[in-house]
Amino acid sequence: MEPHMQNETIVTEFILLGFSSNPALRLCLFGLFSVLYCATLTGNALVFVLICLDYHLHSPMYFFLCHLSIVDICYASNNVPHMLRNLLGRGNTISFVGCGTQIHLYLILALTECVLLAVMSYDRYVAICHPLRYALIMNRRVCLTLAAVSWAFGFIFGTLQASLALHLPFCGPCEVDHFFCEILAVLKLACTDTTVNKVLIFAVCVCFLLFPLALILISYLHILATILRIRSAPGWQKTISTCGSHLTVVGLFYGNAIFMYMGPGSSNSSGREKVLSLFYSLVSPTLNPLIYSLRNKQVKEALLNLQRRKRVLSSRF
């Protein structure tokens, strides 16, 4: 029998090591993460409802923002509730099926957002560089196709990576040095060589991180060239405000992802993985509705209209 197979066991559950064992620190983290999680759910749900209810927001940009809100709600809900439960000391184990589900959903949602952000930058490129042809180019059929492609690519490649990882033999004790079943942390527990998995992860990163990022940068270079030709100050301000917020999200999202999965020693630093995963699970989903939508004039007006309707309905009853 090969040496690496001697400790192979049938795994039924994993132990999530999570954060510090200090009770006071865990309680503080629980409070902080609970607030961020509530803000994530509230902000993204509010954006989703406003876009659905206000016909002024029925445009391609807000259509894609609606999908981004769905991704962020699902992304946070996939990891955070179990993490909060662990911080309270109510069990740090997760079943093999539960762990597999976390990995699968994590990959699908992360890859979908990679494509979605590139699609959104293309939408801004067409809107600013080709405003007269915007309605023709970004028609309903094109928007539905781009959204469907984003989800389909995320599902296909996320499922492929998750399937390969979960079919590996694992050795006990199955302690995952993370606060959820993150794929790199789980791969460290495999009893066999994981080179194929790591090569696949790197290849997917090239396709879903570097290639979309290059498209985004090209789009915004064209946008910048167009902005420089705008003579009116209000036009400058509106365009820079919109594109600046988009670039902030793009820089944070892709920068962290590249650093985490493609940087040197990306599979060896558990502390770094935890911090960067917190960004994806909590910080980014909390910031997205604030940066993309809630600071936007049209969204603010839609929110005010919703409040007026609520007051009118309340006065009638």
Side-chain angles (χ1 to χ4, degrees):
M1 182 179 291
E2 295 181 24
H4 71 270
M5 297 295 289
Q6 292 176 357
N7 294 326
E8 182 183 337
T9 57
I10 298 175
V11 176
T12 57
E13 63 180 22
F14 291 95
I15 300 170
L16 300 175
L17 299 182
F19 298 97
S20 170
S21 58
N22 186 310
L25 179 58
R26 291 169 69 92
L27 194 59
C28 289
L29 291 176
F30 175 81
L32 174 62
F33 296 158
S34 296
V35 170
L36 289 175
Y37 182 53
C38 290
T40 296
L41 297 183
T42 304
N44 285 287
L46 181 60
V47 169
F48 180 84
V49 170
L50 287 175
I51 292 173
C52 291
L53 294 181
D54 197 306
Y55 71 92
H56 292 103
L57 302 180
H58 291 178
S59 66
M61 182 178 82
Y62 293 107
F63 172 74
F64 296 126
L65 281 174
C66 202
H67 283 268
L68 184 64
S69 293
I70 294 171
V71 169
D72 284 340
I73 289 173
C74 296
Y75 202 93
S77 299
N78 180 46
N79 306 331
V80 178
H82 200 279
M83 176 185 69
L84 294 176
R85 179 171 170 267
N86 289 352
L87 286 172
L88 288 178
R90 297 181 179 175
N92 61 346
T93 60
I94 184 171
S95 67
F96 183 85
V97 174
C99 186
T101 302
Q102 276 195 345
I103 293 174
H104 195 192
L105 291 177
Y106 170 82
L107 292 171
I108 289 174
L109 295 167
L111 296 178
T112 298
E113 185 161 351
C114 289
V115 182
L116 199 56
L117 289 175
V119 168
M120 291 169 67
S121 71
Y122 173 72
D123 170 71
R124 290 300 82 205
Y125 159 75
V126 177
I128 295 170
C129 299
H130 304 283
L132 299 179
R133 299 173 56 200
Y134 179 67
L136 179 64
I137 296 174
M138 298 301 293
N139 57 58
R140 181 180 177 83
R141 182 178 177 182
V142 170
C143 290
L144 289 172
T145 301
L146 290 173
V149 166
S150 300
W151 285 99
F153 276 20
F155 178 81
I156 292 170
F157 287 94
T159 301
L160 175 62
Q161 286 193 81
S163 298
L164 287 176
L166 295 172
H167 279 86
L168 293 171
F170 294 98
C171 301
C174 289
E175 296 180 342
V176 180
D177 191 9
H178 216 289
F179 61 86
F180 78 103
C181 285
E182 197 275 328
I183 187 166
L184 291 179
V186 173
L187 285 179
K188 294 175 184 178
L189 306 179
C191 296
T192 187
D193 183 45
T194 58
T195 301
V196 173
N197 300 80
K198 292 176 181 177
V199 169
L200 177 61
I201 290 173
F202 188 85
V204 169
C205 286
V206 171
C207 295
F208 283 83
L209 291 176
L210 298 185
F211 183 63
L213 182 59
L215 292 178
I216 290 170
L217 293 177
I218 291 170
S219 296
Y220 278 98
L221 284 174
H222 283 283
I223 290 171
L224 179 61
T226 302
I227 290 174
L228 293 176
R229 293 196 294 267
I230 297 176
R231 296 182 180 180
S232 64
W236 265 80
Q237 292 173 359
K238 182 179 179 181
T239 306
I240 290 176
S241 175
T242 302
C243 295
S245 62
H246 292 193
L247 281 174
T248 300
V249 173
V250 166
L252 290 172
F253 182 85
Y254 286 99
N256 277 278
I258 290 170
F259 186 70
M260 180 173 176
Y261 289 102
M262 303 185 74
S266 58
S267 62
N268 297 319
S269 177
S270 59
R272 184 176 68 179
E273 287 176 16
K274 291 178 187 178
V275 173
L276 294 178
S277 294
L278 272 177
F279 174 84
Y280 289 114
S281 301
L282 277 174
V283 180
S284 180
T286 303
L287 291 178
N288 281 349
L290 294 174
I291 293 176
Y292 270 113
S293 304
L294 297 179
R295 60 189 293 273
N296 185 290
K297 183 180 178 181
Q298 286 180 296
V299 175
K300 290 178 181 177
E301 290 176 354
L303 183 58
L304 290 174
N305 290 335
L306 184 63
Q307 290 174 336
R308 290 192 197 103
R309 287 185 209 170
K310 185 178 179 180
R311 282 197 295 267
V312 170
L313 290 173
S314 299
S315 63
R316 289 179 181 177
F317 298 98

